[in-house]
Amino acid sequence: MVCYLLTTSVYFLQRRVLTNAQMDNTKLNLLSTVSYNSRGLNSSKKLYLRHLLSDCDILFLQEHWQSETQLSDLYTISADHSAIGVSGFRNNEVLSGRPYGGCALFWRKSMSFTPVYVTTDSRRVCAIRLNGVDCNLLCLCVYMPYEKATDNLDEFSYQLSVIESILGLHSDCHVIVGGDFNVDFERDKLHTRILNDFCAKCNMSPVCRHTNYCIDYTFNSNMEHFSTIDHFLLSEQLYQTSVNKAYVSHDSENFSDHDPVHVLLNLSVARVNIEKRVYKPHSAWHKANNTQINAYRSLLQAELRNIVVPYEALLCNDVMCHSALHTTMLSHYADQITQACLTSAKATVPVTKPCGESGRIPGWCELVAPLKNQSLFWHNIWIDCGKPHSGVVADIMRKTRSRYHAAVRQARRNQNDIVNNRIALALAENNNRQFWSEIKRIRQTKCTVGGVVDGRCSSSDIADLFAEKYHDLYTSVPFDEADMQCIRNELTASLTNSDIVSSFVSAPDVLRACGSLKAGKNDADIGLSTDHFINAGGELATHVSLLFSGMFIHGFAPSDMSVSTITPIAKGRNANIADSTNYRGISLCSIFAKLFDLIFLDKFSSVLTTSELQFGFKATTQL
């Protein structure tokens, strides 16, 4: 056994060295495109899809089997790519058996293209137009009906007519059509003849006829029957001048019966450096035990003792004071309190971690990993032997591959039992957070902003779109500046130094407000959460009371308290996430602002009234 493992390790090391040596050639002027029929999108297939996307500029994906409400999962697969997709079925359809169909397109964000979503009105065709400085690309991903079914002849011809109409509307583009055509050009079938006629009519050329085409097969049935039904079609100029290489990847990590088809094009595409989103961990208060919380409180007290208190600003009793020095002191005081909380929590409280992208499932190390290594070993030997379809090596490769895939399926079945045990344990321990976390994982209803919203595709364009919409919304109520100034003048004139007493905030006021805060609420900007205040104790309440008293006297609030982060979320599970009207904004404001509001309402509730016509969002409602 030790000898076998040593031989396997040496063999993989040799292959890794050879592979790196072969990849020394630069790909700066190559556009890498891949077509892949994944036959579903579970965790193992997502892992392989990430592997393909790591070295791919444009990926054409078929049969992801996602419903319209699950298409948002496509956008989370790769942080370096944008994506659009169509579902193979409607949400209101009653499905018999497994889900089916669907196609999607991924393109690398760093390419200096301006993406424009192309409407196809088809559940078998997905399209995007990429506008560049030197050239425009029209990319279409297709999933065509099976050729042996005679009822699919009309459907096959209809989908080709859809593609033809799109090509006619974008005649100024180079065209790349990739996908599962369910047609083998080596077979004299009716669908083959129809597709050949389409290519001749639209001046498109199958890459399988190019001299740089090096593909033996793209589809296998239990590694016994083989065919080439996944293709790329290129417009004439691309076909004649740009095809560098076309090849297929036969990977044992691929759990689909289709293999990914790669086409490298000699296209010089300008690329921009995009700063990757950096995960920022924050304090995981729900994981903190009593010892860690007590340690946070003790360390926070020590940090607060080192704060420089702005006595000059805090002792000022002039409600008409407009000193810039005082407001600067108060802002710095608020920053010191914030940093004391963050520093203390970072040193004592557990932090959150990014969601894993390994694709691993429970039982992997025990059930799957040994069989995976064995499958990879014989798969690589099979490749070095010339990929024979029969013989001893081919038989061993099939058996080890089958055992590996069967082990993954078994581990996935056991995963449900593990999840059920976690749910039962959470209920037994009355751990509501853990219970609902497991429920969310099962339902997979995470809402995210679509990759294409109102025709805008890049993250910055989508952010600007929502910023414009919310700006229009919050400035839609007209007002007269002169009237507003009159109101300000009246309020200023009514202020007297006799109002100082009511402006003071005490430590009990702050502690009472902290008791009204809900745990687990974050500000999404600085990194503070309500738990920093709930678990702090009286020392922090004293400093916050001094800060708020100074703010009341000077009529001033630090800039951080005025910042609010608006996050758009989809309105329901069945919402069309490509339409901005199907989103509602959730505002995450400063924790200091939350405390200030609670204290203000508590101190001045007797003089604050609301309309008699308002019934919601009140402490008590009487009808």
Side-chain angles (χ1 to χ4, degrees):
M1 181 64 179
V2 175
C3 180
Y4 169 76
L5 291 176
L6 180 61
T7 304
T8 304
S9 301
V10 173
Y11 183 80
F12 282 143
L13 180 60
Q14 291 174 344
R15 286 194 61 84
R16 189 177 296 112
V17 172
L18 289 174
T19 302
N20 290 337
Q22 294 168 355
M23 292 178 64
D24 284 340
N25 58 323
T26 180
K27 294 184 179 180
L28 293 177
N29 294 324
L30 292 179
L31 182 72
S32 174
T33 61
V34 177
S35 176
Y36 176 53
N37 184 324
S38 62
R39 301 276 290 174
L41 207 61
N42 57 36
S43 58
S44 301
K45 293 179 179 178
K46 284 183 179 179
L47 179 63
Y48 184 67
L49 196 57
R50 290 191 187 101
H51 164 69
L52 292 178
L53 287 168
S54 64
D55 196 32
C56 170
D57 294 319
I58 305 175
L59 186 137
F60 302 71
L61 179 68
Q62 307 88 47
E63 285 205 271
H64 51 63
W65 296 356
Q66 302 293 287
S67 67
E68 291 177 344
T69 59
Q70 295 173 320
L71 288 178
S72 57
D73 289 346
L74 299 174
Y75 317 134
T76 63
I77 293 177
S78 172
D80 297 327
H81 293 76
S82 296
I84 60 169
V86 295
S87 176
F89 51 90
R90 296 181 178 86
N91 286 332
N92 56 3
E93 287 187 31
V94 178
L95 302 180
S96 58
R98 62 164 175 80
Y100 55 87
C103 53
L105 279 162
F106 296 79
W107 65 95
R108 192 175 294 277
K109 296 177 181 178
S110 61
M111 296 190 299
S112 59
F113 284 116
T114 301
V116 179
Y117 178 66
V118 178
T119 303
T120 64
D121 296 324
S122 170
R123 294 191 177 274
R124 290 183 175 270
V125 181
C126 180
I128 191 78
R129 175 182 171 128
L130 302 175
N131 294 328
V133 177
D134 299 325
C135 67
N136 300 324
L137 290 179
L138 178 64
C139 301
L140 296 95
C141 180
V142 302
Y143 172 58
M144 303 298 281
Y146 189 47
E147 67 176 351
K148 287 188 177 180
T150 55
D151 295 340
N152 288 335
L153 177 60
D154 292 338
E155 177 69 10
F156 190 89
S157 300
Y158 170 74
Q159 297 303 331
L160 289 180
S161 68
V162 170
I163 299 174
E164 182 179 357
S165 63
I166 295 174
L167 298 183
L169 296 174
H170 302 273
S171 57
D172 59 332
C173 295
H174 297 298
V175 181
I176 305 175
V177 183
D180 179 3
F181 287 84
N182 272 310
V183 166
D184 193 329
F185 283 99
E186 298 298 324
R187 299 173 182 172
D188 187 17
K189 299 288 186 178
L190 182 57
H191 282 197
T192 308
R193 293 194 291 271
I194 293 175
L195 185 56
N196 279 324
D197 292 341
F198 166 81
C199 291
K201 181 179 180 182
C202 297
N203 202 24
M204 301 288 292
S205 299
V207 177
C208 62
R209 294 171 183 165
H210 200 277
T211 55
N212 293 335
Y213 185 81
C214 310
I215 294 178
D216 47 2
Y217 66 88
T218 66
F219 172 80
N220 72 84
S221 177
N222 297 321
M223 295 301 293
E224 296 179 356
H225 305 286
F226 306 87
S227 60
T228 305
I229 59 177
D230 303 275
H231 302 282
F232 275 100
L233 307 181
L234 301 179
S235 54
E236 189 62 24
Q237 185 176 355
L238 284 181
Y239 180 81
Q240 295 294 342
T241 63
S242 300
V243 178
N244 179 280
K245 185 179 180 181
Y247 63 98
V248 66
S249 297
H250 300 305
D251 299 323
S252 62
E253 291 294 285
N254 178 19
F255 287 83
S256 172
D257 47 13
H258 291 256
D259 290 320
V261 177
H262 304 253
V263 174
L264 301 180
L265 299 175
N266 292 321
L267 284 178
S268 180
V269 178
R271 300 174 189 268
V272 296
N273 292 326
I274 296 180
E275 183 179 354
K276 292 186 178 181
R277 183 178 181 181
V278 179
Y279 178 79
K280 295 181 179 180
H282 57 270
S283 300
W285 290 95
H286 61 282
K287 297 180 180 179
N289 53 37
N290 291 332
T291 301
Q292 292 166 330
I293 292 177
N294 290 332
Y296 162 74
R297 188 177 293 118
S298 300
L299 182 57
L300 178 60
Q301 289 176 357
E303 291 287 338
L304 292 174
R305 293 190 186 104
N306 295 326
I307 284 180
V308 178
V309 180
Y311 291 107
E312 180 180 342
L314 297 178
L315 295 176
C316 177
N317 294 328
D318 184 7
V319 294
M320 306 301 294
C321 177
H322 299 291
S323 172
L325 177 62
H326 288 182
T327 57
T328 302
M329 288 179 173
L330 291 174
S331 293
H332 182 60
Y333 189 31
D335 292 339
Q336 290 184 91
I337 296 173
T338 299
Q339 289 305 316
C341 293
L342 294 176
T343 302
S344 302
K346 184 178 180 180
T348 57
V349 179
V351 296
T352 57
K353 297 179 180 179
C355 296
E357 297 184 351
S358 64
R360 299 289 176 83
I361 50 181
W364 179 274
C365 295
E366 300 84 359
L367 300 175
V368 181
L371 295 176
K372 174 188 175 182
N373 294 333
Q374 189 178 11
S375 175
L376 287 173
F377 177 76
W378 286 105
H379 181 83
N380 291 326
I381 292 179
W382 173 73
I383 292 177
D384 289 344
C385 291
K387 305 175 186 176
H389 291 182
S390 60
V392 177
V393 174
D395 290 341
I396 296 177
M397 183 274 294
R398 293 189 187 102
K399 289 180 181 178
T400 55
R401 178 188 175 108
S402 177
R403 290 170 183 168
Y404 168 41
H405 290 185
V408 172
R409 291 192 292 270
Q410 180 182 356
R412 189 174 293 115
R413 286 193 294 267
N414 293 340
Q415 182 182 15
N416 294 330
D417 294 335
I418 295 175
V419 171
N420 291 336
N421 290 335
R422 289 174 179 170
I423 293 176
L425 182 62
L427 285 174
E429 296 179 352
N430 197 25
N431 190 337
N432 292 331
R433 184 186 182 95
Q434 182 65 26
F435 172 77
W436 288 112
S437 295
E438 296 296 336
I439 295 299
K440 287 179 180 179
R441 291 193 188 102
I442 295 174
R443 297 177 64 187
Q444 294 182 348
T445 56
K446 182 180 179 180
C447 294
T448 183
V449 177
V452 178
V453 180
D454 289 356
R456 303 194 188 187
C457 302
S458 67
S459 299
S460 59
D461 289 344
I462 294 175
D464 290 341
L465 169 67
F466 282 109
E468 293 168 4
K469 292 181 70 69
Y470 291 127
H471 177 270
D472 294 340
L473 173 64
Y474 296 134
T475 58
S476 59
V477 178
F479 66 93
D480 185 83
E481 182 63 31
D483 292 340
M484 293 297 296
Q485 188 60 45
C486 290
I487 296 174
R488 295 192 192 98
N489 294 336
E490 290 179 6
L491 291 175
T492 303
S494 65
L495 291 176
T496 62
N497 288 331
S498 60
D499 298 324
I500 292 177
V501 176
S502 62
S503 300
F504 288 143
V505 177
S506 64
D509 292 333
V510 178
L511 290 173
R512 190 161 51 251
C514 289
S516 301
L517 291 174
K518 294 182 179 179
K521 300 298 181 180
N522 302 304
D523 61 8
D525 181 34
I526 302 175
L528 279 178
S529 75
T530 52
D531 298 273
H532 284 91
F533 294 85
I534 294 174
N535 300 303
E539 189 96 8
L540 178 63
T542 300
H543 283 277
V544 173
S545 66
L546 293 174
L547 172 65
F548 285 174
S549 296
M551 290 168 50
F552 270 121
I553 292 293
H554 292 84
F556 164 79
S559 58
D560 290 338
M561 287 185 59
S562 304
V563 174
S564 179
T565 302
I566 300 178
T567 302
I569 63 172
K571 296 178 180 178
R573 298 176 58 187
N574 298 326
N576 177 14
I577 58 177
D579 186 353
S580 63
T581 59
N582 291 324
Y583 289 88
R584 59 188 178 93
I586 297 296
S587 178
L588 303 177
C589 63
S590 164
I591 307 301
F592 278 109
K594 289 179 182 288
L595 274 177
F596 190 86
D597 288 346
L598 290 172
I599 294 172
F600 188 90
L601 291 174
D602 181 55
K603 291 179 68 67
F604 304 107
S605 59
S606 60
V607 295
L608 296 175
T609 58
T610 57
S611 172
E612 295 179 354
L613 300 178
Q614 178 183 342
F615 296 95
F617 304 102
K618 288 187 175 183
T620 57
T621 302
Q622 297 179 355
L623 298 178

